[in-house]
Amino acid sequence: MKQTKLTAKFLGACAIGSALLLTGCEVGDGSGTNTSAGAVEYPTKKINILAPGSTGGGWDTRARAIQAGLGECDVTDQSVSVTNVPGAGGTIGLSEFVDHTADPYNLMVMDTVTMLGGIVRNDSHYDLSELTPIAGLTVARTAVVVPADSPLKSMADLRKAFKDDPKALSWAGGSLGGPDHLMAALLAKHDGVDISDLNYVATGGGGEVVSLLLSGSAKVAVSTYTELASQIDAGDIRPLAVTGTERKKGLDAPTLEELDLGDIDSASTGGILAPPEVSSEDADAVTAMVEKLHGTSCWTEALEKNAWEDALSSREEFATTIAEDKAKVEEILDELELKE
């Protein structure tokens, strides 16, 4: 099979990305800065941020980092709330979010691959192309981990056990069709393991992954480093590999690139969306606020604390990223026979 890497550029994506830029998504110079005579003041009232995942998960962590930074670093004096609506790979939250038509005071955090996988797997009635891109913000590191007392001491051990008896190796990770699931599936494909033999347990993220691992219900887990860091530091679980171009400082684990497994890296860009039909002026104003947050010490600290790679992008660039990842997710899920 020709391996597909989710971080690679997808030919023709710009044309697809342009299709995402509906009336509420059109941009001028792509800077996200309000400089026109029609610029609007924002925010002038409370902002609501939807995290379409469970408390403690990656989306929740990003939403609360944004919430904290907006207030603590004086980006705005307006109040900011976070609401969690988990389930079905983010599509339950998405179905509620689309009802806030044209309202720039309701925002949603998400990750491209994670939510797109949920949309495809759950045959959602809604699509990200209906929403208004605001900005891309981060790419999160992902770690492959095992319990501290696991006999699997390396990725080589894991791959051997996977090939020898794939059904006996239970995996825990995020939602079906999300980046964790795709990484496990891509490893199976890479090593000639039948996809139907992949024993994958999907969770809502956060502590659920760790609980399955520590209880013995799963033998290996794939999740964002942020969600696993405290248990890694405590010595309860052990990392076998991490994503990223370089090793993470202070973490004794090779990167997938080092192990010639870069093709299974299912990187997902985290960002912010507004509801459908938000005007260009309002969307520009929200983006300007996000860019202001990005320049603060609060956000710098959040990047470091959560092991996020900085991936700030304009509305237009983020729309293109969504379109690229949509095409790639659909291709991979179809190729790996993971689509419903």
Side-chain angles (χ1 to χ4, degrees):
M1 176 193 93
K2 181 180 178 182
Q3 295 294 332
T4 305
K5 184 177 179 183
L6 288 179
T7 51
K9 293 294 182 183
F10 192 84
L11 295 178
C14 289
I16 303 173
S18 297
L20 280 172
L21 302 179
L22 305 176
T23 303
C25 307
E26 294 171 359
V27 296
D29 59 6
S31 67
T33 303
N34 257 326
T35 57
S36 67
V40 298
E41 183 180 355
Y42 181 94
T44 59
K45 62 180 183 179
K46 179 181 177 181
I47 298 171
N48 304 296
I49 302 177
L50 171 67
S54 58
T55 302
W59 290 335
D60 178 70
T61 301
R62 183 179 299 105
R64 295 185 190 279
I66 294 169
Q67 176 191 42
L70 289 174
E72 293 173 9
C73 277
D74 300 321
V75 177
T76 178
D77 58 3
Q78 299 295 329
S79 64
V80 181
S81 67
V82 173
T83 302
N84 296 85
V85 183
T91 58
I92 294 177
L94 174 63
S95 66
E96 293 188 14
F97 187 68
V98 295
D99 291 335
H100 297 286
T101 303
D103 182 1
Y105 286 88
N106 276 280
L107 306 174
M108 182 176 73
V109 296
M110 41 68 77
D111 283 85
T112 54
V113 175
T114 309
M115 180 160 277
L116 289 163
I119 288 170
V120 173
R121 285 286 304 175
N122 292 284
D123 194 23
S124 174
H125 295 297
Y126 305 100
D127 189 80
L128 296 186
S129 62
E130 299 176 52
L131 305 183
T132 307
I134 294 298
L137 280 174
T138 62
V139 174
R141 280 185 184 263
T142 296
V144 181
V145 298
V146 294
D149 60 356
S150 171
L152 305 175
K153 304 300 182 184
S154 66
M155 280 296 291
D157 290 344
L158 171 64
R159 293 170 68 187
K160 183 178 186 304
F162 197 22
K163 287 186 283 187
D164 288 348
D165 192 356
K167 291 183 178 179
L169 190 70
S170 51
W171 296 71
S175 59
L176 291 174
D180 303 339
H181 191 191
L182 289 183
M183 184 179 289
L186 285 169
L187 180 61
K189 196 72 172 179
H190 183 282
D191 285 347
V193 175
D194 192 323
I195 296 299
S196 64
D197 289 337
L198 174 61
N199 182 5
Y200 184 86
V201 181
T203 75
E208 293 180 59
V209 171
V210 174
S211 294
L212 288 172
L213 199 62
L214 296 182
S215 69
S217 297
K219 294 183 178 180
V220 59
V222 182
S223 190
T224 61
Y225 173 78
T226 304
E227 297 175 308
L228 304 171
S230 60
Q231 281 73 28
I232 291 174
D233 292 342
D236 297 326
I237 59 178
R238 180 163 37 84
L240 300 182
V242 293
T243 61
T245 56
E246 298 179 353
R247 286 198 179 203
K248 176 170 170 50
K249 185 177 179 180
L251 187 67
D252 184 21
T255 66
L256 292 175
E257 290 284 355
E258 287 181 60
L259 301 173
D260 293 325
L261 290 171
D263 53 335
I264 74 167
D265 183 350
S266 51
S268 187
T269 300
I272 302 176
L273 297 170
E277 300 180 25
V278 169
S279 70
S280 292
E281 292 78 13
D282 283 342
D284 281 341
V286 180
T287 302
M289 180 190 71
V290 173
E291 290 178 341
K292 184 177 179 181
L293 168 66
H294 178 267
T296 66
S297 60
C298 292
W299 192 250
T300 300
E301 292 168 5
L303 291 173
E304 177 64 26
K305 176 182 178 182
N306 296 291
W308 293 331
E309 294 184 12
D310 188 9
L312 180 68
S313 60
S314 69
R315 292 172 52 214
E316 185 173 28
E317 292 166 337
F318 191 41
T320 299
T321 296
I322 292 171
E324 291 176 348
D325 284 353
K326 177 182 179 181
K328 290 177 288 190
V329 166
E330 290 179 341
E331 175 189 348
I332 293 171
L333 290 182
D334 183 60
E335 185 176 0
L336 298 181
E337 300 178 355
L338 295 176
K339 293 176 72 173
E340 293 289 1

